[in-house]
Amino acid sequence: MAGHRTATLGREERTPLAAAREELLARLGTEQVIVDRQRLRTYECDGLAAYRVVPGLVVLAQDARDVETTVRVCAAHRVPFVARGSGTGLSGGALPHAEGVLVVMSQMRALREIDVENERAVVEPGVVNLQLTHATTPDGYYFAPDPSSQQVCSIGGNVAENSGGAHCLKYGFTTNHVTGVDLVTPGGDVVELGGKAPDAPGYDLLGAVVGSEGTLGVVTRVTVRLTRLPQDVRTVLAGFPDVDAAGAATSAIIGAGIIPAAIEMMDALAIEAAEEAVHCGYPDGAGAVLVIELDGPSADVEQELADVLRLCDESGAFETRLAADDLERALIWKGRKSAFAAVGRISPDYIVQDGVIPRTALSRVLRQIAELGEAGGCRVANVFHAGDGNLHPLVLFDGSVEGATERAEEVAGGILDLCISNGGSITGEHGVGADKARYMPRMFSDDDLDAMQAVRCAFDPDNISNPGKIFPTPRLCGERPGRHQGAHPLQEAGLGEVF
Amino acid sequence: MAGHRTATLGREERTPLAAAREELLARLGTEQVIVDRQRLRTYECDGLAAYRVVPGLVVLAQDARDVETTVRVCAAHRVPFVARGSGTGLSGGALPHAEGVLVVMSQMRALREIDVENERAVVEPGVVNLQLTHATTPDGYYFAPDPSSQQVCSIGGNVAENSGGAHCLKYGFTTNHVTGVDLVTPGGDVVELGGKAPDAPGYDLLGAVVGSEGTLGVVTRVTVRLTRLPQDVRTVLAGFPDVDAAGAATSAIIGAGIIPAAIEMMDALAIEAAEEAVHCGYPDGAGAVLVIELDGPSADVEQELADVLRLCDESGAFETRLAADDLERALIWKGRKSAFAAVGRISPDYIVQDGVIPRTALSRVLRQIAELGEAGGCRVANVFHAGDGNLHPLVLFDGSVEGATERAEEVAGGILDLCISNGGSITGEHGVGADKARYMPRMFSDDDLDAMQAVRCAFDPDNISNPGKIFPTPRLCGERPGRHQGAHPLQEAGLGEVF
């Protein structure tokens, strides 16, 4: 890999990274280029702290030109680079490279343009998700993708991971809200993909770039669709005896042609954790709850609300509660949104899994997950976007018990196998990153992965743009592919310290 | 190009096409392989009859395996191939290659699966657009993309061109309704992109393939989203003194947060033509009409209808008419849908142009188009999807007058320049095809086109998958790109007879 080669300059033999370091310091200065080991350590992981690698160098980009400069220098020396937004990702997508440059985008936070008339905004990638919503609310608009981390996560990160959120059932993922980007390709060219208008001629490379997790280049400008604030929002909390009944209610609602803004489900263990942490007052004795949110024109919402309450009743809900005001709505959501952290109250350690199944397979898969957990000696709490079948099972364990971590990881991996065998997918919204690259061959054929690799090689023939992510096996571009191996990508990509 | 090489086999020297012909006849038989010149002539053009090329060979594919066989044979001999659906395209996207194989997909018409519960259908690409809607209407669903040609056009063709229709303002383009395809790559591999679930991990190559106009391979299976039939539909016809007033009404409606299923505009000349052809009874003396369709839950539609009627009045409509029943609605749409053909009544010849502008630039661009037409001595009738700024100017001329055709073509080309300079695009829904490849450099930078070419080369290094379409300059893959030239792609691609 790149980090193992050396370059000869004058009499001194230097690593490619050392050569890039010198050039970047000369061009961008010590304010923007971090070389101090202590400061570099700050960037050793993203939201998935299980993997840690201290980057070789950090560049604090102030504008698109800085990014272009950095990428050009990296390309010239074949030094790997990784772009990082707010570092809230959960798949290790922004895990640094020990012999590479980490390009920190979080200082590029300008809202370049708010074009209400055309319902578009043009932003720098470091803009925080909720910042854009706050800026457009006075005009009656917001930015629809709403990951749980929206108070801190960056729009550039949302683009890289094609982030979803509780409301993506109705409003779609980030890719449905991005109409254009400027991309610095791994070769250092600046390419404009899409724009304000929909359906540009030529290839829709915009769609391929959104969700490519930084492997096709670095985005320096994003044009997004603004969504009109709904006239009305109603939030229902419904308690069910078990997850089967809650699943039946979900299917009945969708089957009736209602698309709520969100349908979130929590099972008994997740409810227990949330109650302990934030006292959200969910229905006593519920085996499962649904949080159902309806939004849109008032007349419409009222009709849908009546239907939803009826369908919950018919599916066996023993209690339905309508939020009377914003405070009650906030409390309902607080239980749901705190669930991940709350699990820490009932278990010393846990793994957050992310997988997708067809909505209609919900009951079966939940049963299979429970069996899997039992066999592995782990409790599994389930919190998920029920409307679109995006599961977030939380695998609980105690890392101080010998072998417990391994068993929990096995259960978490087994859950992905269940998702695949039920016709689903290994990630709904957290991305593949460093964490799930080894699962890609379970989901895709060699030919499928070859097609992706071919595109990767077209953009990044030297494999320097966020290497070691998404793809299970780094391959030299141009060589005819062999079989993909399931080995851990971090070993194969030659990344530095992995804890 | 491929057609100019020869292969030596035994003592006989054969063209690559002759070699492919022999192999295809041996594998598929004479029922499926057309070699007779008279029969080949049937396929010499698609809906854009200005370009005609008799294909070297036609294969009538019966199933995915036939397509795979054909593509593999073509790949082995480096023979170009072009897939053709129903042949209704308006940009020459299915224009054959004289030394190549035309793969006719129209006999692959099986509806493989209608999965109402998951709101998906799996179809073969030759399935006719409206056929799918008819098959799903009894269950309360339909296929939303509705090109004017929906009674005959194929879903495979819709995928190739990312087709839109009158209702794509609210429902989006084909790309928003395709969740998976099987693709035979130009190398003959079968790749599965996407599936029934949204947001698959890895690159979203599905998005790149939809709208790639057959240049990345041949789609043999399509999984599409089914859309629930709306509870209610209301259609309004509004007459305005001029296009400015109709444009203002359009902006007011969108600005009020209403997204009608369709907002179609016709100007005075288009109205005149439609009246003469189908006697649709549009308001007397209108300088412009709007056809506005609202759909959704009844309560919602009633509220929006009241708002739309008020906003039309406030914008200067002198007459608004609500369709009382299906018959009246059909008559309103008949005027709009017949407009293209109707123009033949008032002019011996015409060119249908297709371009996009930001909705807010409507009045300005229409004025500029009128000036352009005047300068070129052509009348221009305007029929368009006003809601999303997709113009279809009809440039009228008399081909029997010397120089008139050239002047009309110049006006049509100038309209695209206007679209670009106003921040729009050279095609809204008809695609680039053979017709507009030469305009691509006016819209995209060299780096932009290089990025697309890189992907093209990744899939199709030998440039055999529908060559001569989309890209202005065929380039050997691997060579470092030079400047793109604006020459006509048909000359450069070495295509055979061009009339």
Side-chain angles (χ1 to χ4, degrees), chain A residues 275-290:
Chain A
E275 282 299 343
E276 206 151 313
V278 301
H279 312 291
C280 44
Y282 280 7
D284 267 343
V289 294
L290 288 181

Side-chain angles (χ1 to χ4, degrees), chain A residues 160-197:
Chain A
E161 300 295 333
N162 188 19
S163 304
H167 293 78
C168 62
L169 170 62
K170 180 169 181 176
Y171 293 101
F173 294 84
T174 300
T175 195
N176 304 113
H177 298 271
V178 173
T179 63
V181 298
D182 283 2
L183 177 80
V184 179
T185 69
D189 291 331
V190 180
V191 170
E192 208 180 318
L193 303 174
K196 284 188 184 178

Side-chain angles (χ1 to χ4, degrees), chain A residues 8-353:
Chain A
T8 308
L9 193 85
R11 270 169 308 187
E12 197 187 358
E13 201 161 75
R14 299 183 308 173
T15 61
L17 178 63
R21 181 188 294 123
E22 184 174 307
E23 214 167 314
L24 287 169
L25 278 168
R27 293 193 186 203
L28 300 174
T30 53
E31 291 282 304
Q32 282 182 250
V33 181
I34 299 177
V35 297
D36 174 68
R37 181 86 187 165
Q38 259 332 93
R39 291 183 64 200
L40 291 176
R41 195 168 277 283
T42 319
Y43 298 97
E44 67 182 359
C45 71
D46 62 10
L48 183 68
Y51 302 120
R52 291 167 196 266
V53 176
V54 178
L57 193 73
V58 165
V59 169
L60 305 174
Q62 305 300 314
D63 55 30
R65 190 169 293 257
D66 288 351
V67 177
E68 196 185 335
T69 300
T70 304
V71 170
R72 280 181 184 273
V73 168
C74 286
H77 299 284
R78 300 201 179 179
V79 166
F81 59 86
V82 178
R84 175 193 165 102
S86 302
T88 53
L90 291 171
S91 61
L95 185 71
H97 195 291
E99 293 293 317
V101 175
L102 187 74
V103 191
V104 172
M105 306 295 291
S106 54
Q107 299 185 358
M108 289 178 60
R109 285 207 183 177
L111 297 168
R112 291 259 168 244
E113 187 189 350
I114 308 256
D115 177 357
V116 169
E117 206 176 7
N118 285 306
E119 306 188 327
R120 293 288 183 276
V122 181
V123 304
E124 287 188 341
V127 166
V128 165
N129 178 295
L130 206 56
Q131 178 190 351
L132 178 57
T133 286
H134 286 158
T136 50
T137 301
D139 289 317
Y141 285 87
Y142 73 114
F143 181 55
D146 63 336
S148 306
S149 55
Q150 69 181 136
Q151 294 192 317
V152 280
C153 68
S154 71
I155 289 176
N158 298 163
V159 169
E161 300 295 333
N162 188 19
S163 304
H167 293 78
C168 62
L169 170 62
K170 180 169 181 176
Y171 293 101
F173 294 84
T174 300
T175 195
N176 304 113
H177 298 271
V178 173
T179 63
V181 298
D182 283 2
L183 177 80
V184 179
T185 69
D189 291 331
V190 180
V191 170
E192 208 180 318
L193 303 174
K196 284 188 184 178
D199 189 36
Y203 296 157
D204 179 11
L205 300 183
L206 179 62
V209 165
V210 177
S212 63
E213 309 193 9
T215 61
L216 300 180
V218 182
V219 164
T220 56
R221 196 170 68 149
V222 189
T223 304
V224 300
R225 194 187 307 281
L226 297 174
T227 303
R228 213 173 165 82
L229 286 167
Q231 189 184 359
D232 210 351
V233 183
R234 307 303 293 268
T235 308
V236 173
L237 178 70
F240 294 86
D242 51 45
V243 290
D244 281 4
T250 304
S251 285
I253 290 165
I254 306 271
I258 299 167
I259 303 178
I263 306 184
E264 301 286 297
M265 200 193 295
M266 292 165 68
D267 70 3
L269 195 54
I271 297 168
E272 179 193 329
E275 282 299 343
E276 206 151 313
V278 301
H279 312 291
C280 44
Y282 280 7
D284 267 343
V289 294
L290 288 181
V291 176
I292 305 160
E293 193 155 275
L294 301 163
D295 70 9
S298 303
D300 199 1
V301 168
E302 286 308 314
Q303 179 57 54
E304 289 181 349
L305 179 62
D307 290 341
V308 162
L309 292 173
R310 178 178 52 77
L311 292 166
C312 284
D313 283 348
E314 289 173 9
S315 304
F318 62 83
E319 184 180 339
T320 53
R321 201 185 293 169
L322 178 65
D325 52 29
D326 285 352
L327 206 72
E328 283 191 29
R329 176 180 314 126
L331 191 62
I332 291 176
W333 275 110
K334 195 174 178 186
R336 163 63 187 86
K337 291 200 171 172
S338 67
F340 285 16
V343 161
R345 297 262 180 154
I346 60 168
S347 174
D349 300 288
Y350 63 96
I351 297 170
V352 181
Q353 193 46 289

Side-chain angles (χ1 to χ4, degrees), chain A residues 438-451:
Chain A
R438 64 187 183 280
Y439 294 103
M440 290 287 278
R442 297 197 205 166
M443 188 163 168
F444 294 101
S445 74
D446 282 359
D447 283 345
D448 291 344
L449 287 172
D450 287 347

Side-chain angles (χ1 to χ4, degrees), chain B residues 358-379:
Chain B
R359 187 175 32 77
T360 46
L362 208 62
S363 295
R364 183 175 66 239
V365 175
L366 288 178
R367 261 194 308 277
Q368 291 170 334
I369 289 177
E371 286 161 19
L372 199 68
E374 219 161 290
C378 305
R379 290 187 300 169

Side-chain angles (χ1 to χ4, degrees), chain A residues 117-118 162 191-192 199 201 203-204 207 215-216 228 255 257 297 300 359-360 425 427-428 444 448 452 454 456 458 471, chain B residues 117-118 162 191-192 199 201 203-204 207 215-216 228 255 257 297 300 359-360 425 427-428 444 448 452 454 456 458 471:
Chain A
E117 206 176 7
N118 285 306
N162 188 19
V191 170
E192 208 180 318
D199 189 36
Y203 296 157
D204 179 11
T215 61
L216 300 180
R228 213 173 165 82
D300 199 1
R359 187 174 33 75
T360 47
S425 142
T427 168
F444 294 101
D448 291 344
M452 293 186 207
R456 204 273 164 74
F471 296 107
Chain B
E117 206 176 8
N118 285 306
N162 188 21
V191 171
E192 207 180 318
D199 189 36
Y203 297 156
D204 179 11
T215 60
L216 300 180
R228 215 174 165 80
D300 198 2
R359 187 175 32 77
T360 46
S425 141
T427 168
F444 294 102
D448 292 345
M452 292 186 206
R456 204 274 165 73
F471 297 107

